[in-house]
Amino acid sequence: MKSFFRKNGALIVVSVFIAIIIKLYFEMRVFFVTGIAVGLLGNEFELKTIGKLLLLFLIIFVILLLLDRYKKLFIYVDKYRYIIGAAIIILCTIFELSGSSIGIIYTYLGNEYTSTDVLLEQGTLIGVPRAIRSDEWSLFTQFNLSQYYNDYNSVSDIIRGTDTDVTTFYASPCFAVATLFRPFLWGYIALGGAKGLAFYWSARLVVLFLVSYEMGKLLTKNRKVLSAAYAVLITFSPTILWWFSTNGLVEMFIFGQLAVVLLYYLVHTDKMWVKVIICLGIIECAGGYLLAYYPAQQIPLAYVFGALALFIIIDNRKMFKGRDILLIAAAVIVFAGLVGLTVYNSLDTIKATMNTVYPGKRVNTGFGTSVVQLFSYITFIFAPFDESNLILKDNVCEMSVFYSLFPVGIIGAVYSMIKRRKADFLYIILILIEVLFLIYCIFGLPVFASKITLLNYSFCNRIMSIVGFIDIILLFRFLSGKSADKTPNEKKPKILKIVLYVAFIPIIVLVMVWLYTAGLRPSYIIWITAGALIMWLVYLILRNTAEHKERFAITIICVMSLLGLCVNPVQHGTKVIYENETVKEISSIREEDPEALWIFVSKDSHVNNIPVAVGARTINSTNTYPTLERWHKIDKTGQYEDVYNRYAFIKADITDGDTKFTLNNPDDITVELNQNDLDTLGISYILSYKPINAEGYNKIYNDSNYYIYKKGSV
């Protein structure tokens, strides 16, 4: 019996973690539809709850035992990983499975999720839709769907109700040079809305994992189990999954890592045709990365990928040949031409955005991040189950981080160099970058220093997530080092390891005390599991044997992938939008009167993009850049220009008083329109959540939730 537990102890521990996660998942679904926390999530440790947990544990443990017995099968998984990845993308696309939170639109259209059966009816097969991901379900997805009605042109008059460049910020699928660098949008053009959405989600997830796996092999010197663990920590991290479909973050990680991998293979092949293909791939990566158009994360990430590329060049400098330099130079010329053409075509849009009050004139100098926030990853991985109690001072997306195990990576890097008595270029440059980022976030930098480093274009939350990425790189490079020999006489870790491990326990306690005082109130099981998990992983790292590293990797792969998959739902199709009666009516009117302008009077500006999803030209759909000419018509003195000269969600209302604009948040405004200004703006239809009394507009539709008014006689 003792030998059984010694041999399978790691599987037992992992089974416990997985059982708790699965139980919390089912309770999360119940909480979403009832608002009542039950079971472990509600701190109920009744016999029934414990019994279900034990049953889950036994089932999972048996499954893991079988997988461990037949683990040679994973050799074939690795060998055929690209075929398996392609199959997953194809199946998800055919069956229209995505991770979109568009299911939340059901509630914004006046309905309620009263049971999990209703969730299934509206297409949410697994998980729950996330209202907090409004940039995805209310904006980006709606814009992409609207392109079907725009024939995928690069300029749309549906969004904002006027000509809008859709190749730049929140880029949509369209026929343009820029789309060459956005392969994940091609599915919309080739397959339409629902399947395009499924391809967009599944392809990015699969490709990110595969690219991260290749990056992991470079970092770990081809240790495949560790590489898989690295890929899981990147792909299924809170940072990636809470921001999965907006800001181009996934593309940055795909193209940034892939460019580094391709650079490595460029000098490790002698075949000229392979080198040419690799250079074309690097051009695609450079363009895809640059055209993400989100400097807040592009710039700090560029530091990291630049350091990795520099390391590849220095480490392989003797292998570079003259033709490699020529090929890279040719690639730079081609890249500059294509991207230059793209930027030139969108120059007016870029200038308009740079001249906005927000975000164009935003200047950041850092400062204000708490040191303890570096450890928030310990509990944050459980945010999918208890969002409201896992938010510190901002929303769950803004606070998302990598599960980085800080400061283990830095300690490991320094310890490794001391032990080897040799400096390591990659360790040193990454640590220096991390120190710069931490100084910026914790203490701040003068304006001139912020501008020189370009960090003024970013801000602390975004940079802190990149700090976690650096820590992961340091950690896995350290784990790739020589393992400690395991001998019969070795009963305990070395004294240094004991000291480090003992020191880590009070750190965890202090972090949890800080989180508690900051307002964090998750269920007890989350606290216990989070603390146990971090201590288990640190213990495995400190043992530093090949066996313990494998256990570390298995824990990461099983636990983190499962936790990550709980963030976004599995959504089937787009019927939650297109089968809604109000949306059907908007679509019908739009077919009869496609050039008409709409305005949406709503309680929440995040629903204002629903009409554009069926092609209705809506003036207060999200203005990704301002329509100054339109607003100047009703604000002739420019009194409110600082309010509407910005990227903005726009809530509208119709009044008898004077027209005025109000700033609610940096990206959210309210316009109160005098009814006479409806004519000035050329509004033909009003969609409203409440009755409207506007002269010359007649009601042509209403259900229990929305009204539609048309200008002129009916």
Side-chain angles (χ1 to χ4, degrees):
M1 182 64 70
K2 186 176 180 180
S3 62
F4 174 83
F5 281 105
R6 182 181 296 127
K7 181 180 179 181
N8 300 295
L11 296 184
I12 293 172
V13 173
V14 172
S15 298
V16 171
F17 288 138
I18 294 176
I20 292 171
I21 292 167
I22 293 176
K23 186 71 172 68
L24 287 170
Y25 159 77
F26 283 108
E27 293 170 358
M28 171 185 71
R29 293 265 289 188
V30 173
F31 180 76
F32 180 80
V33 297
T34 65
I36 301 172
V38 298
L40 298 178
L41 198 57
N43 294 317
E44 297 173 1
F45 297 95
E46 300 175 351
L47 185 60
K48 182 179 179 181
T49 300
I50 301 301
K52 289 180 179 178
L53 195 60
L54 287 173
L55 180 60
L56 274 173
F57 163 76
L58 290 173
I59 293 171
I60 294 162
F61 181 61
V62 171
I63 293 171
L64 290 180
L65 277 178
L66 291 172
L67 290 173
D68 185 62
R69 182 174 180 180
Y70 297 102
K71 59 185 178 183
K72 288 185 178 180
L73 289 173
F74 291 101
I75 296 174
Y76 296 98
V77 173
D78 174 67
K79 183 178 180 180
Y80 298 108
R81 61 188 181 278
Y82 294 112
I83 295 175
I84 294 171
I88 292 172
I89 295 170
I90 291 170
L91 289 173
C92 287
T93 303
I94 290 173
F95 292 104
E96 300 180 355
L97 301 177
S98 73
S100 173
S101 286
I102 55 172
I104 205 68
I105 288 175
Y106 184 74
T107 62
Y108 278 86
L109 288 173
N111 307 295
E112 291 185 9
Y113 283 114
T114 55
S115 69
T116 53
D117 289 338
V118 181
L119 274 171
L120 291 172
E121 288 172 5
Q122 297 303 317
T124 305
L125 307 182
I126 299 175
V128 297
R130 304 290 182 181
I132 196 70
R133 289 307 309 124
S134 56
D135 283 349
E136 182 269 315
W137 61 262
S138 79
L139 196 163
F140 190 63
T141 298
Q142 309 298 334
F143 281 12
N144 288 345
L145 294 174
S146 76
Q147 279 294 90
Y148 172 81
Y149 301 92
N150 185 44
D151 295 325
Y152 298 102
N153 289 316
S154 60
V155 175
S156 170
D157 65 354
I158 297 172
I159 299 168
R160 305 189 308 159
T162 189
D163 286 351
T164 302
D165 176 12
V166 296
T167 67
T168 51
F169 312 107
Y170 283 107
S172 297
C174 60
F175 294 107
V177 174
T179 308
L180 292 173
F181 300 106
R182 295 172 177 138
F184 304 111
L185 294 178
W186 298 351
Y188 282 102
I189 299 173
L191 304 169
K195 287 183 172 59
L197 179 63
F199 175 81
Y200 177 79
W201 276 83
S202 59
R204 292 161 83 244
L205 188 70
V206 169
V207 173
L208 176 59
F209 183 87
L210 292 174
V211 169
S212 298
Y213 180 70
E214 298 300 330
M215 185 74 227
K217 288 200 294 182
L218 289 185
L219 293 173
T220 65
K221 301 173 184 176
N222 209 35
R223 289 168 172 79
K224 294 180 179 179
V225 177
L226 284 176
S227 300
Y230 169 85
V232 165
L233 275 183
I234 300 301
T235 307
F236 297 100
S237 69
T239 296
I240 293 293
L241 292 174
W242 284 105
W243 289 100
F244 191 80
S245 65
T246 54
N247 295 346
L249 182 61
V250 173
E251 283 79 1
M252 292 179 212
F253 273 90
I254 289 174
F255 293 129
Q257 292 185 112
L258 183 56
V260 173
V261 172
L262 290 176
L263 181 62
Y264 174 83
Y265 285 109
L266 178 67
V267 297
H268 284 81
T269 180
D270 292 323
K271 297 178 180 178
M272 189 62 183
W273 66 272
V274 175
K275 288 179 180 288
V276 171
I277 292 175
I278 288 174
C279 283
L280 291 174
I282 291 175
I283 292 171
E284 178 72 10
C285 290
Y289 187 91
L290 183 64
L291 296 184
Y293 286 123
Y294 193 65
Q297 284 170 320
Q298 280 177 305
I299 289 170
L301 268 177
Y303 274 83
V304 182
F305 293 132
L308 290 168
L310 186 59
F311 170 72
I312 295 294
I313 292 170
I314 293 175
D315 199 46
N316 298 276
R317 58 190 179 278
K318 294 180 180 179
M319 299 183 67
F320 273 94
K321 300 175 182 178
R323 61 180 181 177
D324 295 329
I325 306 299
L326 290 174
L327 281 172
I328 292 173
V332 169
I333 293 171
V334 174
F335 163 75
L338 291 173
V339 172
L341 179 61
T342 300
V343 171
Y344 176 78
N345 290 337
S346 299
L347 198 57
D348 290 340
T349 305
I350 295 171
K351 287 180 178 178
T353 302
M354 295 303 293
N355 288 324
T356 56
V357 176
Y358 175 89
K361 295 180 180 178
R362 177 176 60 188
V363 176
N364 299 293
T365 57
F367 178 70
T369 300
S370 168
V371 175
V372 188
Q373 192 172 324
L374 290 164
F375 299 91
S376 63
Y377 66 86
I378 295 173
T379 52
F380 195 89
I381 51 174
F382 290 93
F385 308 121
D386 202 9
E387 285 180 51
S388 61
N389 285 328
L390 283 165
I391 301 171
L392 305 182
K393 62 179 180 179
D394 214 328
N395 68 48
V396 70
C397 303
E398 294 294 341
M399 297 304 296
S400 61
V401 292
F402 282 97
Y403 196 78
S404 62
L405 280 77
F406 176 89
V408 178
I410 293 177
I411 293 173
V414 174
Y415 174 75
S416 177
M417 287 189 287
I418 293 173
K419 186 177 179 180
R420 293 164 52 201
R421 298 181 181 178
K422 183 180 179 181
D424 183 289
F425 173 79
L426 187 57
Y427 278 151
I428 292 172
I429 192 170
L430 288 177
I431 291 174
L432 288 175
I433 291 171
E434 181 160 345
V435 169
L436 170 65
F437 289 173
L438 291 178
I439 290 173
Y440 177 84
C441 293
I442 296 171
F443 304 105
L445 291 175
V447 173
F448 79 91
S450 297
K451 290 184 176 180
I452 290 172
T453 58
L454 301 181
L455 295 181
N456 63 300
Y457 290 106
S458 189
F459 43 98
C460 293
N461 282 351
R462 299 293 182 267
I463 292 177
M464 288 299 289
S465 66
I466 309 307
V467 167
F469 177 47
I470 296 173
D471 288 324
I472 290 174
I473 295 173
L474 292 172
L475 174 63
F476 277 85
R477 183 163 171 79
F478 166 69
L479 289 173
S480 69
K482 185 178 179 181
S483 300
D485 295 328
K486 186 178 179 182
T487 65
N489 295 325
E490 184 185 13
K491 296 182 179 180
K492 297 180 180 179
K494 293 181 180 180
I495 187 66
L496 176 61
K497 298 177 183 177
I498 295 175
V499 172
L500 286 172
Y501 189 61
V502 171
F504 206 80
I505 295 175
I507 289 176
I508 295 171
V509 173
L510 287 172
V511 169
M512 290 195 165
V513 169
W514 174 76
L515 294 175
Y516 186 86
T517 58
L520 189 76
R521 302 289 191 276
S523 64
Y524 300 144
I525 195 67
I526 288 178
W527 282 72
I528 295 169
T529 307
L533 179 60
I534 187 66
M535 287 190 286
W536 167 249
L537 292 171
V538 172
Y539 165 76
L540 295 175
I541 292 170
L542 292 176
R543 290 306 299 263
N544 198 32
T545 67
E547 181 182 359
H548 286 90
K549 289 178 182 179
E550 182 176 331
R551 290 175 179 176
F552 168 84
I554 290 171
T555 304
I556 290 293
I557 292 167
C558 295
V559 175
M560 294 303 162
S561 59
L562 190 59
L563 282 166
L565 288 171
C566 292
V567 173
N568 293 304
V570 174
Q571 177 70 29
H572 173 250
T574 54
K575 67 179 182 180
V576 68
I577 300 174
Y578 292 109
E579 292 187 8
N580 177 270
E581 292 302 319
T582 300
V583 176
K584 285 182 180 179
E585 183 65 22
I586 297 170
S587 179
S588 177
I589 295 171
R590 181 263 170 195
E591 288 180 4
E592 295 178 2
D593 196 358
E595 299 302 318
L597 282 179
W598 292 65
I599 192 169
F600 195 164
V601 177
S602 62
K603 294 179 182 178
D604 190 315
S605 58
H606 289 108
V607 299
N608 291 358
N609 295 314
I610 292 175
V612 307
V614 290
R617 302 175 63 219
T618 309
I619 70 166
N620 64 323
S621 59
T622 303
N623 281 206
T624 52
Y625 57 98
T627 51
L628 297 180
E629 301 83 359
R630 170 180 289 143
W631 302 130
H632 284 160
K633 291 179 182 178
I634 56 176
D635 179 34
K636 295 181 180 179
T637 64
Q639 176 184 357
Y640 297 105
E641 185 166 321
D642 279 355
V643 177
Y644 53 75
N645 183 20
R646 66 185 62 237
Y647 166 98
F649 291 88
I650 303 174
K651 187 162 64 175
D653 201 0
I654 312 299
T655 72
D656 293 327
D658 294 335
T659 292
K660 64 179 181 179
F661 295 80
T662 305
L663 181 64
N664 307 316
N665 286 303
D667 62 351
D668 190 287
I669 69 175
T670 297
V671 53
E672 296 176 61
L673 280 174
N674 179 277
Q675 59 178 330
N676 294 325
D677 283 333
L678 292 170
D679 285 338
T680 305
L681 296 178
I683 303 299
S684 298
Y685 293 93
I686 303 171
L687 172 64
S688 175
Y689 76 96
K690 64 181 181 180
I692 293 292
N693 184 20
E695 185 176 350
Y697 288 84
N698 298 290
K699 183 173 67 178
I700 59 173
Y701 169 86
N702 82 276
D703 58 16
S704 58
N705 300 311
Y706 285 98
Y707 302 80
I708 297 177
Y709 296 85
K710 179 181 180 181
K711 179 176 175 57
S713 58
V714 179

